[in-house]
């Protein structure tokens, strides 16, 4: 049963065998797999339970509904805006459906450098296959590639750059383009329409509006999760208490370490909250000679992978990803204000973006902030990453021009760099990316409770279980040992599936 | 010429006043982060911003989106400010608590930062643009962050209005229920 606590009213007090904190890309998988095995599962989700009937395709309504801090979460210095889901289904409800398995060189690095010898493609295959089946992952068809993606593909091919039409988790997509505001047609196979209903059907008790504020250990194997019934604004309206021998933390790579640290859970080597990778991204806006209505159709179906060679260097590189927004998101991604900003917006229909998404070496930190759910997030781009980002902006512009753009806007702040076809693109790298002088976003926070075989360098072991607290697991992007260097949806779900089956294999020991 | 930091702290009367004023205003702003929303705003039931704050916000938004331009819907003719007000009222108070104070700081910023003896709301549009540019280009990160917060609120309020969509060539939602009155 899925219960909206602010509608039901009162406090919540429950006992279960498993308490899952978070219902997104990791938590929903764990809940569904364990509940489907016949066990007693409670899921606590701080966000609301929105369904397709609530997905109005309007930004003023959907940004506050679907995103942490209404889409205004950012690093403490304001340099990077972080988009994360806050609803049943988590970020999978607003993501754009890229479905990549974990790259083999990344798994090799995790095995060799993070003492995770069993993390092989073969060992993960059953999890990948289950997840891809449940999320209905399939190849995007040629006729589904929209105008923007076609132009970017044409530009990349003209330049001889490597790229591919990707796989997605969609079923019956009508190509409305409103994916980032939640799918009004239930075509996106997010957790909301796949694993959450599976967990529900298997008897899991799923509570929306239940924010977890603290995890207490003991007595014995018991763990007690306490928190608050919260409305959409985060105002506390009641108390939450759940006792369970197994707790699975899956609140995302920002909120999970925040909760861990607020709870005073063991952190003997100071690793909790460190190693934050963000896959920071910057959008070059290309303006074409005619309206392309880039917001219609599948937003991201093509992917330029020319500038990442994980076999050669699994630690760095960048990919280029088409991006289109609706008016508010687009306006926010363009630098400046006033007349010049408005002039760019007048060409909204001609605008198509190409994101540089960085496989970052830079590492930041999450620490508890002023209140629960408002952690302090620090992150500074290292010089090598700034250099790569500048190079990526150059290549984004190059691809957009080759695809037919008449002018490109590079999002330096306070003054954007506007380039016309034929201009010297080296202007971008000569200027370079300076700290705080570029519009940056992140949709992939990761690695803050990382997995590893060495307890001195990691927080959880190979199956996501705490090195220090038996029965306390992590199943979200926090566990990635390093930056992933690829869209994380399938890796997150597959590792969560693996964790769930590990819990089931040790059921008597952990829950008995 | 001395390095930038030395120039910024040179003990001229103007430099001293700027530094003292900036520090005082920003310190006040930083401290106001924890002020309860109820104490900082709403004189009308259900409203987040007071009428005076709404007027400042309106003028800030007009400059942010250049709504005086030919063909642009005027901010005052749309529900832009009501949209921002409703959004702020619905958010976590720890996010929105500083906003009323920030608006008042913006109104008095010309005194504090520019020695311009006029409030923001009594300036010409060109002077207002220059004042906002001062926030955007400030060497103080907190001031730049404050600018971005106001800018993004203004953009959200304005570009979520149906009336602005024809101007930019956005066809609007496909769902009929999203564009028709309930």
């Amino acid at each position: 049963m899925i219960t909206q606590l602010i509608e039901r009213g009162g406090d919540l007090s429950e006992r279960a065998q498993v308490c899952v904190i978070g219902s997104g890309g990791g938590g929903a998988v764990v809940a569904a797999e364990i509940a489907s095995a016949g066990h007693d599962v409670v899921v606590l989700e701080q966000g609301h339970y929105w369904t397709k009937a609530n997905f109005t395709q309007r930004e003023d309504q959907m940004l506050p509904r679907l995103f942490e801090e209404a889409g205004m979460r950012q690093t403490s210095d304001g340099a990077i805006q972080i988009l994360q889901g806050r609803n049943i289904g988590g970020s999978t409800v607003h993501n754009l459906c890229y479905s990549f398995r974990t790259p083999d060189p990344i798994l090799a690095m995790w095995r060799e450098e993070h003492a995770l010898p069993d993390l092989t493609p073969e060992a993960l295959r059953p999890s990948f296959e289950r997840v891809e089946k449940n999320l209905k992952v399939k190849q995007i068809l040629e006729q589904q590639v929209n105008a923007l993606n076609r132009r970017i593909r044409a530009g990349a091919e003209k330049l001889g750059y490597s790229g591919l039409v990707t796989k997605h988790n969609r079923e019956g997509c009508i190509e409305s383009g409103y994916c980032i505001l939640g799918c009004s047609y239930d075509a996106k196979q997010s957790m909301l329409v796949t694993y959450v209903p599976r967990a529900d059907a298997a008897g899991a008790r799923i509570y929306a509006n239940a924010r977890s504020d603290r995890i207490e250990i003991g007595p014995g194997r018991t763990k007690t999760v306490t928190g608050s019934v919260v409305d959409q604004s985060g105002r506390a309206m009641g108390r939450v208490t759940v006792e369970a021998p197994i707790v699975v933390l899956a609140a995302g790579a920002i909120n999970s370490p925040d909760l861990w640290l607020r709870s005073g859970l063991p952190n003997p080597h100071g690793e909790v909250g460190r190693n934050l990778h963000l896959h920071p991204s910057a959008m070059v806006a290309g303006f074409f000679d005619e309206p392309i209505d880039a917001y219609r159709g599948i937003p991201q179906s093509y992917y330029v992978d020319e500038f990442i060679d994980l076999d050669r260097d699994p630690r760095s590189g960048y990919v280029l990803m088409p991006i289109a927004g609706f008016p508010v998101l687009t306006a926010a991604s363009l630098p400046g204000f006033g007349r010049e900003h408005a002039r760019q917006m007048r060409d909204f229909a001609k605008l198509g973006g190409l994101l540089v998404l960085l496989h970052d070496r830079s590492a930041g930190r999450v620490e508890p902030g002023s209140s629960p759910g408002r952690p302090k997030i620090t992150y500074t781009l290292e010089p090598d990453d700034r250099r790569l980002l500048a190079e990526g902006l150059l290549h984004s512009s190059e691809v957009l021009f080759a695809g037919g753009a008449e002018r490109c806007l590079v999002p330096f702040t306070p003054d954007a760099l506007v380039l016309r076809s034929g201009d010297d693109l080296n202007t971008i790298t000569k200027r370079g990316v300076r700290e705080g002088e570029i519009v940056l976003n992140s949709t992939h926070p990761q690695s803050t409770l990382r997995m590893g075989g060495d307890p001195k360098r990691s927080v959880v072991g190979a199956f996501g279980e705490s090195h220090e607290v038996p029965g306390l697991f992590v199943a979200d992007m926090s566990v990635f040992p390093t930056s992933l260097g690829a869209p994380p949806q399938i890796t997150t779900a597959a590792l969560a599936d693996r964790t769930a089956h590990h819990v089931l294999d040790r059921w008597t020991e952990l829950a008995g | 010429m001395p390095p930038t930091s030395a120039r910024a702290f040179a003990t001229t009367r103007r430099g001293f006043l700027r530094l003292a004023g900036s520090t005082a205003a920003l310190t006040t702003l930083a401290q106001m982060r924890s002020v309860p929303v109820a104490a900082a705003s709403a004189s009308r039931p259900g409203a987040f911003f007071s009428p005076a704050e709404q007027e400042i916000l309106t003028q800030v938004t007009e400059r942010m989106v250049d709504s005086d331009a030919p063909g642009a819907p005027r901010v005052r003719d749309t529900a832009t400010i009501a949209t921002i007000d409703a959004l702020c009222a619905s958010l976590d108070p720890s996010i929105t608590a500083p906003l009323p104070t920030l608006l008042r700081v913006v109104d008095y910023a010309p005194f504090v930062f520019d020695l311009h003896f006029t409030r923001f709301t009594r300036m010409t549009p060109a002077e207002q643009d220059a004042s906002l540019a001062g926030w955007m280009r400030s060497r103080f990160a907190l001031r730049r962050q404050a600018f971005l917060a106001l800018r993004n609120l203004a953009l959200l309020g304005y570009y979520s209005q149906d009336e602005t969509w024809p101007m930019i060539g956005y066809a609007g939602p496909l769902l009929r229920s999203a564009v028709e009155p309930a």
Side-chain angles (χ1 to χ4, degrees), chain A residues 290-295 345-352, chain B residues 168-170:
Chain A
E290 60 182 354
I292 58 168
D293 295 338
Y295 56 90
M345 281 301 291
R346 295 282 180 120
D347 284 339
F348 170 80
K350 299 178 180 176
L351 189 160
Chain B
I168 62 173
Y170 173 53

Side-chain angles (χ1 to χ4, degrees), chain A residues 55-58 64 70 72 76 176 178 233 235 295-296 327 331-332 334 336 338-339 345-346 348-349 374 414-415, chain B residues 63-64 66 70 87 89-92 94-95 129 137 145 151 155 159-160 162 167-168 170-175 178:
Chain A
F55 299 154
T56 61
Q57 304 182 343
R58 295 189 63 101
M72 292 186 276
S76 299
S176 72
Y178 285 92
S233 74
R235 292 180 183 90
Y295 56 90
R296 292 278 190 251
L334 300 176
R339 184 169 302 161
M345 281 301 291
R346 295 282 180 120
F348 170 80
R374 298 288 319 279
D415 300 303
Chain B
R63 300 319 310 150
M64 290 287 189
D66 192 31
L87 173 73
S90 73
L91 292 180
D92 185 336
S94 68
I95 300 172
D129 284 348
R137 296 177 188 283
Q145 276 181 258
R151 186 196 86 125
L155 297 176
Y159 287 110
S160 60
D162 302 22
M167 169 181 71
I168 62 173
Y170 173 53
L174 292 176
L175 290 176

